[in-house]
């Protein structure tokens, strides 16, 4: 039986204070620095330039996806935001910029749950999405292409 | 010109200036609603709230000036002012000048303005007289003779000047209580202004009298009708009292069974609170975060919650008495009994004559339901307010835990909303009564049926809006993202974010512009060409310019051409044309998009464009945020909002979209 890697629940990591200090892409590119000012995270700083492509295939189990390049299985629990971002890159717009992917997830959130109450909530939500995206790249689900 | 005159003049200017600003805020709010401008829209509630407070200022000021506060209130005011001052100094030292300035102003207002009347006892005895007045009956048919009773406790001899509101005035002398009668000959609403002078002290109060037009009924029926009328008017006066539930902000008792229950809840909550403190200290000690910073942060929350747990009922009672002053200032304009009388009459008539006049029964039933809903809502309001204060220690402890923070916020919003609904209800009722008086029976009926919404639902909603706004304003629901002081307020603050509805149904320059696309669809044996418009555009234009196309089929013998051709979904055949070239028979069908399909497709395109616009606007907002809050760290920002985010994510519909 193939080993399945568990994709983490990002908010749980935040709450349990288990978030690492740095998140890297499989090729060693630094993506995210949770404990530093947001703008210092390369994924945020290059949000308008870096593009994303899907690197996964669906399996019979909806929660388990196979990484195309390595064949590794990853269990990603159903999550509206993660699913939307993955689906957007795979089906709607392969090669979308990081910003487009985040905007798509934010737009869907606003559409379904109403306006954010203030900038703080909006900022926190957007940063959570960036964090999720960093993890998706880190686990190889999405491939980052730097222009 | 002495200093008091200058201060009085300045206060007068400020008073009228405040009215102008409040009206301007309301207009700006209305403009915001019309234009869909989020920022301007917020002014509406602020404006309405400001107007209510403005209207209540004279009564409030006079009441404050003649009130000698209990020592606990004095202590509270001093403590609040001192806290504001110390916290202001701390912020000044920390380089947060804007916050320090606000706190300094708050401290000055609290100590300087609010405490002045409390401590200035000479002001009380020298210049102010407490006056109360009541009229009986308050409503009746013209000519109405009513008796006015004035009380001025603590006054030995005084001159009472009464302006009856109908052009006549009376001046009488008496002791601490006087009674005087007056007859109103014409129908209308009258405001009776009573001014009392005793030595160099003065006092003023106001009561309303509502005189109704007498029905023109011939003898001897008038006697019967008048008898019934007088009975009903008595009921109406009696029925004034229950309306208090709509707007009164009740005092929370500080003794008795309810208080005992509160003390039990408080002690249990303190137990949980203690547990939190111990766990928090322990958790901070073992966490990898900067221990010192974490302890200070935790300590701040703990101190605030502990303080709040101790003062909630007292603080609430102060707010309640303030809001009741506002209500008292507004209610003299209203005459609830008259309005309710109409309702009772119609309900009674519906029961009695409903069999013969079904419309009357319907109206009676509608009114019964309306009044029942209004009453039920007012009872719910009271229960929620009491429950909110009673359970406040529990909710405060809840606010310390991220998982239950949301519950605590909702409970606070709900309680505050219902508390603030009181003055809103009173204000609406004051306007409603004046309108009912002017519109006659039809106006009364309409207003009565709408009463649950006008007197409870709308005030409750306004209350919730105001509560949310106030909590946001005070930072209760909006923990501030730390701002890099070296950057200051960036210019991005004024950056305009495009709203979505603007793009719906219109051609948007930033969204994908409309385009006509020719699509060739390969279908076996057919050649289908479609010329359809894509992108956002006006729906009427889209339906007018429906897509067109052709379906072509060739056949050697021509027999196959009689078979029904393939027609794309949403299209219909509008004509056909045959061509024969040698042995090949060719038939071309003209097709046109159906109106329904064009409508659906247009809406879908516009929806897609609007979603794209929203996405773009959110990107702009994020850019602005990144410029403004350069110092914000993701971990801190997310941790602060984790409760709200979980709630929002739970509300998202999960579609399998991978």
């Amino acid at each position: 039986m193939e080993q399945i890697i568990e994709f983490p629940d990002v908010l749980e990591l935040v709450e349990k204070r288990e978030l690492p200090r740095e998140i890297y892409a499989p090729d060693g590119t630094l993506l995210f620095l949770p404990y530093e000012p947001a703008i210092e995270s390369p994924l945020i700083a290059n949000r308008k330039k870096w593009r994303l492509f899907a690197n996964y295939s669906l399996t019979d189990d909806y929660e388990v996806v196979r990484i195309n390049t390595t064949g590794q299985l990853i269990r990603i629990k159903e999550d509206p935001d993660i699913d939307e971002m993955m689906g957007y890159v795979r089906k709607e717009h392969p090669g979308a910029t990081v910003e487009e992917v985040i905007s798509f997830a934010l737009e869907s959130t606003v559409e379904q749950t109403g306006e954010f109450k203030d900038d703080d909530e909006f900022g926190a939500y957007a940063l959570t999405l960036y964090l999720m995206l960093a993890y998706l790249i880190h686990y190889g689900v999405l491939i980052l292409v730097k222009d | 010109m002495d200093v008091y005159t200058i201060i009085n003049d300045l206060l007068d200017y400020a008073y009228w200036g405040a009215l102008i600003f409040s009206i301007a805020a309301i207009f700006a709010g209305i403009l915001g609603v019309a234009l869909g401008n989020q920022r301007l829209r917020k002014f509406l509630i602020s404006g309405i709230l400001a107007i209510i407070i403005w209207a209540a200022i004279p009564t409030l000021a006079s009441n404050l000036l003649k009130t000698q506060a209990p020592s606990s209130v004095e202590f509270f005011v001093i403590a609040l002012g001192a806290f504001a001052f110390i916290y202001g100094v701390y912020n000044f030292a920390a380089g947060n000048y804007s916050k320090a300035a606000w706190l300094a102003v708050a401290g000055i207002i609290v100590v300087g303005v609010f405490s002045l009347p409390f401590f200035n006892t000479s002001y009380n005895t020298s210049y102010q007289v407490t006056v109360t007045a009541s009229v009986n009956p308050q409503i009746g048919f013209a000519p109405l003779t009513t008796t006015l009773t004035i009380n001025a406790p603590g006054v030995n001899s005084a001159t009472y000047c009464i302006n009856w509101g109908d052009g006549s005035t009376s001046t009488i002398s008496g002791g601490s209580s006087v009674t005087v009668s007056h007859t109103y000959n014409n129908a209308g609403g009258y405001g009776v202004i009573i001014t009392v002078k005793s030595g160099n002290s003065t006092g003023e109060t106001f009561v309303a009298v509502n005189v109704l037009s007498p029905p023109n009924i011939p003898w001897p029926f008038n006697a019967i009708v008048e008898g019934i009328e007088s009975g009903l008017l008595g009921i109406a006066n009696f029925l004034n009292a229950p309306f208090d539930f709509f707007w009164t902000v009740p005092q929370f008792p500080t003794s008795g069974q309810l208080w005992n229950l509160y003390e039990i809840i408080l002690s249990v909550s303190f137990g949980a609170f203690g547990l939190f403190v111990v766990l928090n200290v322990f958790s901070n000690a073992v966490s990898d975060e900067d221990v010192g910073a974490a302890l200070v942060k935790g300590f701040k929350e703990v101190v605030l919650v502990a303080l709040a747990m101790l003062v909630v009922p007292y603080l609430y009672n102060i707010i309640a008495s303030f809001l009741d002053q506002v209500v008292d200032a507004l209610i003299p304009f209203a005459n609830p009994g008259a309005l309710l009388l109409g309702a009772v009459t119609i309900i009674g008539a519906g029961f009695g004559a409903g069999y013969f006049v079904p419309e009357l029964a319907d109206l009676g039933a509608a009114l019964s339901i309306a009044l029942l809903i209004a009453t039920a809502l007012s009872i719910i309001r009271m229960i929620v307010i009491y429950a909110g204060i009673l359970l406040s220690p529990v909710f405060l402890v809840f606010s310390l835990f991220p998982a239950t923070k949301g519950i605590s916020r909702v409970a606070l919003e709900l309680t505050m909303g219902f508390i603030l609904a009181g003055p809103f209800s009173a204000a609406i009722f004051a306007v409603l009564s004046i309108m009912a008086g002017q519109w006659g029976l039809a106006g009364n009926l309409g207003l009565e049926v709408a009463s649950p919404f006008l007197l409870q639902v709308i005030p409750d909603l306004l209350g919730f809006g105001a509560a949310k706004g106030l909590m946001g304003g005070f930072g209760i629901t909006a923990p501030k993202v730390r701002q890099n002081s070296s950057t200051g307020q960036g210019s991005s603050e004024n950056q305009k974010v495009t709203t979505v509805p603007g793009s719906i149904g219109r051609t948007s320059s930033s969204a994908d512009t409309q385009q006509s696309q020719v699509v060739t669809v390969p279908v076996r044996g057919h050649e289908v060409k479609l010329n359809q418009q894509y992108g956002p555009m006006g729906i009427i234009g889209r339906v007018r310019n429906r897509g067109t196309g052709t379906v072509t089929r060739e056949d050697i013998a021509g027999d196959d051409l009689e078979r029904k051709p393939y027609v794309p979904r949403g299209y219909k055949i509008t004509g056909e044309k045959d061509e024969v070239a040698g042995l090949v028979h060719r038939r071309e069908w003209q097709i046109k998009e159906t109106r329904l399909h064009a409508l659906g497709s247009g809406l879908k395109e516009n929806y897609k464009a609007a979603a794209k616009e929203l996405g773009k606007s959110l990107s702009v907002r994020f850019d602005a945020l990144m410029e403004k809050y350069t110092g914000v760290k993701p971990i801190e920002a997310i941790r602060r909002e984790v409760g709200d985010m979980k709630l929002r994510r739970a509300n998202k519909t999960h579609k399998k979209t991978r």
Side-chain angles (χ1 to χ4, degrees):
Chain A
M1 196 169 174
E2 288 180 90
Q3 194 200 356
I4 301 174
I5 296 176
E6 294 288 329
F7 188 83
D9 180 335
V10 173
L11 285 182
E12 207 175 292
L13 288 182
V14 172
E15 278 188 303
K16 289 184 175 171
R17 296 160 192 263
E18 287 173 358
L19 215 54
R21 298 215 156 260
E22 289 155 349
I23 300 168
Y24 289 93
D27 67 353
T29 306
L30 177 62
L31 297 174
F32 207 79
L33 297 163
Y35 297 88
E36 301 302 324
I39 201 66
E40 288 177 20
S41 286
L43 193 66
I44 295 174
N46 297 298
R47 61 189 183 277
K48 292 172 196 292
K49 283 189 274 175
W50 289 1
R51 296 187 173 274
L52 295 162
F53 291 89
N55 183 35
Y56 68 95
S57 311
L58 298 177
T59 63
D60 292 341
D61 182 351
Y62 179 76
E63 290 199 342
V64 178
V65 296
R66 185 185 295 280
I67 303 300
N68 293 340
T69 47
T70 60
Q72 178 67 54
L73 294 177
I74 296 180
R75 184 185 301 282
I76 307 172
K77 283 189 184 140
E78 289 191 29
D79 180 298
D81 290 323
I82 289 180
D83 288 10
E84 274 165 11
M85 290 194 287
M86 285 168 68
Y88 184 75
V89 175
R90 193 171 78 97
K91 297 186 288 194
E92 306 256 336
H93 193 175
T97 60
V98 170
E99 184 183 51
E100 280 166 0
V101 178
I102 298 288
S103 298
F104 176 76
L106 282 172
E107 174 261 310
S108 145
T109 308
V110 170
E111 213 168 73
Q112 289 184 39
T113 63
E115 274 286 347
F116 290 101
K117 71 171 192 286
D118 52 25
D119 276 353
D120 295 345
E121 199 201 3
F122 168 73
Y125 206 100
L127 290 171
T128 310
L129 292 175
Y130 274 102
L131 193 55
M132 287 171 175
L133 199 57
Y135 266 103
L136 285 171
I137 301 164
H138 172 75
Y139 278 83
V141 179
L142 301 177
I143 290 177
L144 188 74
V145 175
K146 294 177 265 184
D147 280 346
Chain B
M1 188 183 277
D2 61 13
V3 69
Y4 294 107
T5 320
I6 295 168
I7 290 171
N8 268 329
D9 286 350
L10 284 173
L11 283 174
D12 269 355
Y13 283 125
Y15 183 67
W16 291 109
L19 177 67
I20 293 165
F21 272 112
S22 309
I23 292 170
I26 290 177
F27 277 119
I30 292 168
L31 200 68
V33 171
L35 298 175
N37 185 315
Q38 194 79 7
R39 193 172 288 180
L40 279 179
R41 207 156 47 183
K42 287 178 183 166
F43 281 105
L44 189 60
I45 295 284
S46 317
I48 293 170
L49 202 63
I51 285 273
I52 292 172
I53 294 170
W54 178 86
I57 280 175
T59 314
L60 195 68
S62 68
N63 276 296
L64 278 176
L65 288 171
K66 70 196 173 207
T67 306
Q68 181 63 37
S71 57
S72 61
V73 176
E74 285 178 24
F75 172 76
F76 180 77
V77 168
I78 293 171
L80 203 65
F83 174 75
F85 180 73
I86 293 165
Y87 197 42
V89 170
Y90 164 76
N91 273 283
F92 186 78
N96 200 345
Y97 303 119
S98 160
K99 200 170 182 180
W102 275 111
L103 282 161
V105 171
I108 290 165
I109 289 173
V110 169
V111 178
V113 180
F114 282 95
S115 65
L116 177 71
F118 290 135
F119 306 128
N120 193 352
T121 49
S122 60
Y123 205 84
N124 171 29
T125 49
S126 303
Y127 299 106
Q128 287 293 311
V129 176
T130 307
V131 198
T132 56
S134 62
V135 280
N136 189 30
Q138 200 176 8
I139 35 169
F141 290 106
L144 176 72
T145 301
T146 188
T147 308
L148 172 70
T149 308
I150 311 166
N151 286 303
V155 170
N156 294 324
S157 65
T159 309
Y160 295 87
C161 301
I162 305 156
N163 182 344
W164 294 99
D166 60 351
S168 59
T169 54
S170 311
T171 306
I172 50 169
S173 298
S176 62
S177 179
V178 290
T179 303
V180 59
S181 292
H182 181 73
T183 302
Y184 289 97
N185 293 315
N186 301 315
Y190 298 97
V192 185
I193 300 165
I194 302 115
T195 313
V196 183
K197 282 183 187 169
S198 175
N200 59 351
S201 304
T202 57
E204 193 176 280
T205 192
F206 174 90
V207 281
V209 177
N210 198 0
V211 184
L212 308 170
S213 301
N216 191 13
I217 298 166
W219 187 90
F221 301 105
N222 62 339
I224 302 165
V225 171
E226 276 168 20
I228 296 168
E229 276 165 11
S230 63
L232 288 172
L233 288 170
I235 296 170
N237 277 319
F238 173 74
L239 287 171
N240 273 335
F243 269 81
D244 278 355
F245 281 105
F246 284 17
W247 41 69
T248 300
V249 184
Q251 288 283 318
F252 191 80
T254 47
S255 62
Q257 284 184 335
L258 204 60
W259 180 252
N260 292 343
L261 189 61
Y262 174 80
E263 283 188 326
I264 293 169
I265 293 170
L266 183 66
S267 59
V268 172
S269 304
F270 257 115
F273 174 73
L275 193 68
F276 169 82
V277 175
V278 172
L279 290 176
N280 195 35
V281 169
F282 181 73
S283 153
N284 284 328
V286 297
S287 102
D288 59 345
E289 245 187 297
D290 179 1
V291 177
L295 271 175
V296 168
K297 192 185 160 205
F299 182 71
K300 194 175 127 193
E301 278 179 9
V302 163
V303 168
L304 278 177
V305 167
L307 271 176
M309 280 168 86
L310 289 170
V311 300
V312 162
Y314 304 103
L315 188 63
Y316 164 75
N317 279 345
I318 292 170
I319 295 169
S321 54
F322 168 78
L323 291 176
D324 274 337
Q325 299 282 1
V326 176
V327 168
D328 286 346
L330 290 162
I331 285 307
F333 292 101
N335 206 337
L339 203 63
L340 196 59
L341 170 66
V344 171
T345 314
I346 289 159
I347 292 167
F351 275 121
Y355 181 78
F356 307 103
V357 192
E359 290 79 7
L360 209 57
D362 289 346
L363 195 58
L367 272 175
S368 306
I369 293 165
L371 286 173
L372 273 174
I373 295 171
T375 312
L377 284 171
S378 66
I379 292 168
I380 290 168
R381 175 175 169 261
M382 285 290 171
I383 292 171
V384 171
I385 293 174
Y386 276 122
I389 305 302
L390 196 64
L391 296 173
S392 58
V394 178
F395 293 132
L396 281 164
V397 173
F398 274 11
S399 71
L400 291 168
F401 299 93
T404 48
K405 206 170 186 171
I407 301 172
S408 157
R409 201 198 66 228
V410 169
L412 186 58
E413 272 179 12
L414 203 66
T415 314
M416 265 182 79
F418 276 126
I419 291 168
L420 292 173
F424 280 123
S425 181
I428 291 174
F429 199 84
V431 176
L432 200 130
S433 290
I434 294 163
M435 281 156 62
Q438 288 185 354
W439 290 354
L441 186 64
N444 268 311
L445 281 178
L447 293 171
E448 280 151 11
V449 175
S451 62
F453 301 98
L454 293 169
L455 297 182
Q456 276 303 294
V457 178
I458 293 176
D460 287 348
L461 291 176
L462 286 171
F464 294 144
K468 231 176 156 57
L470 280 175
M471 284 164 72
F474 287 124
I476 297 169
T477 55
K480 290 293 147 215
V481 172
R482 193 177 293 278
Q483 194 179 317
N484 190 337
S485 56
S486 62
T487 319
Q489 305 281 335
S491 60
S492 59
E493 203 173 26
N494 299 324
Q495 203 155 350
K496 191 177 181 300
V497 177
T498 321
T499 52
V500 186
S503 72
I504 296 177
R506 296 194 193 104
T507 306
S508 164
S509 56
S510 53
D512 290 348
T513 46
Q514 64 187 77
Q515 48 186 301
S516 185
Q517 224 174 336
V518 179
V519 185
T520 306
V521 186
V523 182
R524 200 166 64 172
H526 295 79
E527 190 190 323
V528 183
K529 277 186 185 168
L530 291 178
N531 182 11
Q532 191 182 311
Q533 285 180 318
Y534 292 92
M537 66 179 296
I539 291 299
I540 295 171
R542 177 71 182 80
V543 174
R544 270 191 193 154
N545 303 308
R546 297 194 295 282
T548 53
T550 54
V551 179
T552 318
R553 194 157 67 197
E554 289 178 351
D555 188 48
I556 302 292
D559 299 341
D560 194 34
L561 297 181
E562 297 308 318
R563 200 159 42 86
K564 200 179 169 194
Y566 161 81
V567 179
R569 201 171 165 191
Y571 277 76
K572 62 182 179 187
I573 297 170
T574 52
E576 60 181 51
K577 196 169 70 180
D578 282 342
E579 276 176 32
V580 181
L583 288 173
V584 179
H585 293 247
R586 190 168 187 268
R587 182 172 287 180
E588 187 183 277
W589 289 272
Q590 279 83 45
I591 55 172
K592 191 167 188 182
E593 192 181 11
T594 61
R595 283 188 176 82
L596 199 65
H597 188 265
L599 185 71
S601 158
L603 285 171
K604 204 170 151 188
E605 288 290 324
N606 279 345
Y607 179 78
K608 268 164 71 180
K612 212 174 243 184
E613 279 293 282
L614 174 60
K616 278 183 188 169
S617 75
L618 290 167
S619 288
V620 172
R621 190 174 169 188
F622 187 76
D623 292 348
L625 208 65
M626 282 297 104
E627 279 181 36
K628 192 172 161 188
Y629 300 136
T630 48
V632 66
K633 294 173 183 167
I635 185 81
E636 287 173 0
I638 298 169
R639 203 177 280 161
R640 265 194 289 263
E641 298 286 337
V642 79
D644 283 348
M645 277 201 295
K646 275 189 172 174
L647 210 66
R648 190 178 277 274
R649 279 160 59 76
N651 289 336
K652 275 191 88 171
T653 320
H654 187 255
K655 300 171 200 158
K656 293 185 187 271
T657 48
R658 280 180 193 170

